[in-house]
Amino acid sequence: MKTVQVIGLILLLCGAAFAQDVDVDITGRTVFCIHYDDGLQSQDFSSYITDADEQELNFNPRDTRIGFKAISTDGPWTFKSVFEVDFYGTNASNNLIPRLRLGYAEAANSNGLSMRFGQDWLPIAQQFPGTVDFGVLSWGGNLWWRVPQVTARYNKGNIETLASLATHRNSNQQEIDEKMPWVMGRIAAKNLFGTKAMVALGGGFRSVIFAGNEYSSHVIAAEFKLPIGKTLINGELYSGQGVGREFVRYGLDYNPTHPDGATEMACTGGFVNLKVPANCKLDFNVGIGMDDPEDDNLEDSTAPYLKNTVIYANMKYKMTKQFGFGVEYNDYETIALDEVARDGSRLTFAWWYIF
């Protein structure tokens, strides 16, 4: 982050703190992970296996975060600003440069209507697995990302609906005409059966031009969250085509070298997570996730795999409200384009302090 940006952030925080009608909270976390991989990953976070014969040990502090939330009210309106960075930018020469995670402004009315502008979590497929690893099943059955968007929400009783325009920042890495953003919608039924149970259905579409052809990319995602006593089961299922960078499925949206001509890649996948609290300080999570592109669409492509499956189990322990640690085991089966299974595992030890 450039010096002028740091100075600007400090001045902004100081100015907000002295403003009588603005409440400002500084938020953040320090995280340190030790990963041992029996099978080389494509990323330093949990993803998919690229070489089953390689082993690697990594000390990783990159999920450390810092940010702020500023809130003010004016009659029926509540206005909010959220800013957060972590250290998953470039790591050239071991320089862990901050990157923007969240940066949005929101106006919410007491009647249940709100508008949010800026970089926020993907508005559909909102469930997350209870993993210790930062990767949260990327390329492993979880559709997620943080993308620039304009999103309108309306809450009425137990029903929440939203409509959104969202798109990845243009990278110019693919010959794609991206003049149209993803148009997304979601409807969720919350607080069912007198509990925090939830079901939701969301989807999105856009028209793009790739390699001279026009495609109608689309995705549909179902979500669920079901508490049973203190135990929680949650997950999501999805299906679509052209589902790529906006959903952390890089390399799995279009195939320009298919023998029958350039084509979109179709996919199905999902995950399920079981969280079992042992007591107020100790939680256990187990789960499985799978991402399965359509094999016929991948012919002669550079796609990362035909199928990727991840099984995980972990424990998280809170020594205090802020400080905790966790241990996690991940098992991977990545089916390569040559139909050979690349198996691997990851053992993670993590320590964190959250404020």
Side-chain angles (χ1 to χ4, degrees), residues 37 39-51 56 138-139 304-305 308 332 334 342 346:
D37 292 314
L40 194 63
Q41 301 268 337
S42 70
Q43 308 288 333
D44 63 3
F45 54 84
S46 177
S47 49
Y48 54 89
I49 302 298
T50 59
D51 190 338
E56 185 174 69
S138 300
W139 292 280
Y305 51 75
N308 188 44
Y332 306 85
T334 303
R342 297 191 294 249
R346 161 169 284 193

